[in-house]
Amino acid sequence: MADYNWNERHIITFPEGNLALSTEDLHVYYGENEAIKGIDMQFEKNKITALIGPSGCGKSTFLRSLNRMNDTIDIAKVTGKIMYEGIDVNAQNINVYEMRKHIGMVFQRPNPFAKSIYKNITFAYERAGIKDKKVLDEIVETSLKQAALWDQVKDDLHKSAFTLSGGQQQRLCIARAIAVKPDILLMDEPASALDPVATMQLEETMFELKKNYTIIIVTHNMQQAARASDYTAFFYLGDLIEYDTTNHIFQNAKLKSTSDYVSGHFG
Ligand SMILES: Nc1ncnc2c1ncn2[C@@H]1O[C@H](COP(=O)(O)OP(=O)(O)OP(=O)(O)O)[C@@H](O)[C@H]1O
Ligand SMILES: [Mg+2]
């Protein structure tokens, strides 16, 4: 690996009006360990951006910081700005619960609640005191349709979410995340527990979702990144090294480290 120059960067930026989210000098520390080393990165609206890079390079840490999931880790400290609609999401006074209705997350392993399919989706609304059955029915139907699950579960809405297959549970988690109508969906390896068929269905779902949402996805699967994303960002040792259109990253990356990584010749 000696011939890589890790001081080189190639990072795309977008016009202000196209921005869904951006970070400014974002650092994340776990105690003494600086896992994210000052990242400036912009995400374009209604696009899918894939974060790639070797294990331990900070992809999940970076993604989790975007909606303050690192708050739950005691030793984690996040500095810098995360700008969303003119607001710094990383500021002290942010109502994190409200903010996550705008910036939602889908985790690596499907994690439905031990409730019915229906109640998984209406959870946030019921918590907010909304009881009108018509309203809730409508939200359940639209969310499940957008997550490409409606046809499979419409007659079983009151069955436990645990009766679903892994792929269906993951789409239920997507439906739950989009039920509150976020702008941005963060996904950390959402297909890693899924078989190839469920993975393809998930990619098709993402393709539909980007009409309404901005999606940021961490993936280890290079084919998936190449197929599903508009932009790809290569992370290494807590730094953003190269960020460009997915076509550029996969077909003519500017930096040798990036092209070696995406072609499997890295290290
Ligand atoms: N909860 C935590 N507590 C302490 N250190 C952590 C924690 N989570 C991650 N780290 C450290 O931060 C660094 C980045 O880890 P992270 O999980 O973000 O990498 P990753 O790129 O998502 O890796 P992978 O591809 O294996 O999921 C690693 O050094 C890791 O050990
Ligand atoms: Mg990870």
Side-chain angles (χ1 to χ4, degrees), residues 73-226:
I73 302 171
D74 282 344
I75 60 164
K77 185 174 141 223
V78 182
T79 68
K81 288 185 177 169
I82 301 163
M83 298 308 294
Y84 166 76
E85 303 272 319
I87 296 166
D88 180 8
V89 164
N90 200 35
Q92 280 287 330
N93 61 351
I94 289 292
N95 178 333
V96 171
Y97 181 78
E98 286 301 316
M99 175 272 288
R100 287 187 190 141
K101 291 182 184 168
H102 300 265
I103 310 175
M105 189 159 216
V106 174
F107 295 88
Q108 185 165 2
R109 306 216 148 262
N111 60 345
F113 302 135
K115 293 173 181 290
S116 67
I117 293 167
Y118 188 98
K119 292 224 175 231
N120 261 272
I121 295 168
T122 58
F123 177 79
Y125 286 87
E126 291 189 7
R127 194 174 151 154
I130 294 165
K131 296 199 184 86
D132 186 334
K133 189 170 174 303
K134 256 201 189 140
V135 173
L136 297 178
D137 284 354
E138 163 70 27
I139 289 159
V140 168
E141 183 169 342
T142 338
S143 310
L144 286 171
K145 278 184 173 160
Q146 284 189 38
L149 190 58
W150 173 251
D151 289 338
Q152 291 160 56
V153 302
K154 62 179 189 289
D155 300 321
D156 299 316
L157 294 175
H158 298 287
K159 281 195 185 158
S160 163
F162 297 142
T163 62
L164 299 173
S165 73
Q168 291 172 328
Q169 289 188 18
Q170 193 59 306
R171 287 209 296 286
L172 177 63
C173 293
I174 292 173
R176 182 177 67 190
I178 61 187
V180 295
K181 305 187 170 67
D183 287 328
I184 301 171
L185 265 185
L186 310 174
M187 299 183 165
D188 196 349
E189 301 189 55
S192 67
L194 306 184
D195 67 30
V197 173
T199 300
M200 287 306 289
Q201 287 169 340
L202 181 74
E203 284 177 24
E204 284 163 21
T205 306
M206 282 167 43
F207 200 75
E208 284 300 309
L209 289 175
K210 79 169 174 173
K211 293 175 188 158
N212 298 304
Y213 306 96
T214 301
I215 298 177
I216 307 172
I217 179 175
V218 171
T219 179
H220 272 285
N221 181 329
M222 289 306 109
Q223 284 86 17
Q224 184 175 51

Side-chain angles (χ1 to χ4, degrees), residues 30 33 35 53-62 64 73 75 189 220:
Y30 295 109
N33 176 20
S55 187
C57 70
K59 305 176 297 293
S60 297
T61 297
F62 180 77
R64 278 200 308 266
I73 302 171
I75 60 164
E189 301 189 55
H220 272 285

Side-chain angles (χ1 to χ4, degrees), residues 19-38:
L19 293 186
L21 191 73
S22 60
T23 67
E24 294 172 22
D25 198 28
L26 195 79
H27 295 254
V28 183
Y29 305 84
Y30 295 109
E32 300 284 286
N33 176 20
E34 186 179 18
I36 293 295
K37 299 174 180 165

Side-chain angles (χ1 to χ4, degrees), residues 12 14 44-50 206-207 210-211 213-215 217 224-233 243-250:
I12 195 172
F14 304 101
E44 200 180 17
K45 277 185 188 154
N46 297 99
K47 299 286 188 217
I48 301 176
T49 302
M206 282 167 43
F207 200 75
K210 79 169 174 173
K211 293 175 188 158
Y213 306 96
T214 301
I215 298 177
I217 179 175
Q224 184 175 51
R227 276 194 305 260
S229 68
D230 300 291
Y231 297 101
T232 298
Y243 178 25
D244 210 330
T245 62
T246 295
N247 274 344
H248 268 106
I249 296 285
F250 282 87

